[in-house]
Amino acid sequence: MPRIVYIHHNCFVLEAGERTLLFDYPAPAYLPEAAARVCASHLAGRQLTVFVSHSHDDHFDPLIVAATSGAAAREFVVSDDVADLYGDALPSTRITMEPEDRVDLDGLTVTALESNDLGLAYLIEMDGLTVYYGGDMALWDWPGNTPAANRAVGMTWRRQLGRLEGKRLDVAFSNTDPRLPESLCGAPELLDRVRPRVFVPMHLGGHVHY
């Protein structure tokens, strides 16, 4: 199994053999300085693939190129909204994805999946390892939502689960926001239907004691 390092909120480093994956590195307002230093230490000298699910500040730092400069080599996989809003801040070689796009990056296969928030989720296959990274895809059944809004987010969430169901997922990163204590953003449903080998909760805002 790979090594998974929690950085903050939805930001994780996944180390698997020669590859290192970085997910949703956030803007400084959402990233404690100590967490940024830990992240930099895990990227130093590595073959790095940076994934950005969408452009919200708690998931994306426009200075991501500088923040990852310690890596030996880098490639960037970003959602189309990130490319539209921050294309000038990203390398011209970035891979921009929309839902249902699929790309092979020297043995790392990435499929872009829909989100019911902004941007994308990702399904990643490499070296016999399958990883789901949900971004902001979740059962966002906020109490203030209208019944119609909750039905809509529920439909997209369960459509995603249907797509994942039956796949052998080694790691699933998915949201379990503690502000939604009854549904936990759909995480219990994901565990019941998809049954990943390792489940990694996200969208905790650093509150890992929940």
Side-chain angles (χ1 to χ4, degrees), residues 49-139:
T49 304
V50 178
F51 288 89
V52 183
S53 68
H54 64 289
S55 57
H56 288 161
D57 288 354
D58 58 333
H59 293 255
F60 175 65
D61 182 0
L63 301 179
I64 187 65
V65 173
T68 59
S69 61
R74 292 171 291 174
E75 54 193 356
F76 294 82
V77 179
V78 305
S79 59
D80 55 342
D81 64 295
V82 171
D84 289 344
L85 291 170
Y86 298 101
D88 291 344
L90 296 167
S92 60
T93 55
R94 67 184 179 269
I95 306 298
T96 301
M97 303 192 75
E98 299 181 11
E100 305 308 319
D101 284 351
R102 183 179 174 91
V103 64
D104 183 80
L105 303 173
D106 191 24
L108 187 152
T109 302
V110 183
T111 304
L113 305 178
E114 70 174 332
S115 176
N116 54 11
D117 201 313
L118 193 60
L120 302 169
Y122 293 109
L123 187 66
I124 302 158
E125 299 166 90
M126 58 175 185
D127 300 326
L129 188 72
T130 303
V131 177
Y132 170 74
Y133 180 81
D136 257 358
M137 179 63 168
L139 182 63

Side-chain angles (χ1 to χ4, degrees), residues 6-10 30 32 203-210:
Y6 174 60
I7 304 302
H8 195 73
H9 196 49
N10 277 43
Y30 295 92
H203 218 271
L204 303 176
H207 302 295
V208 295
H209 60 283
Y210 283 103

Side-chain angles (χ1 to χ4, degrees), residues 1 6 50 58 101 169 172 179 189 191 194 204:
M1 288 297 291
Y6 174 60
V50 178
D58 58 333
D101 284 351
L169 284 188
R179 294 172 295 176
E189 286 183 86
L191 287 166
V194 181
L204 303 176

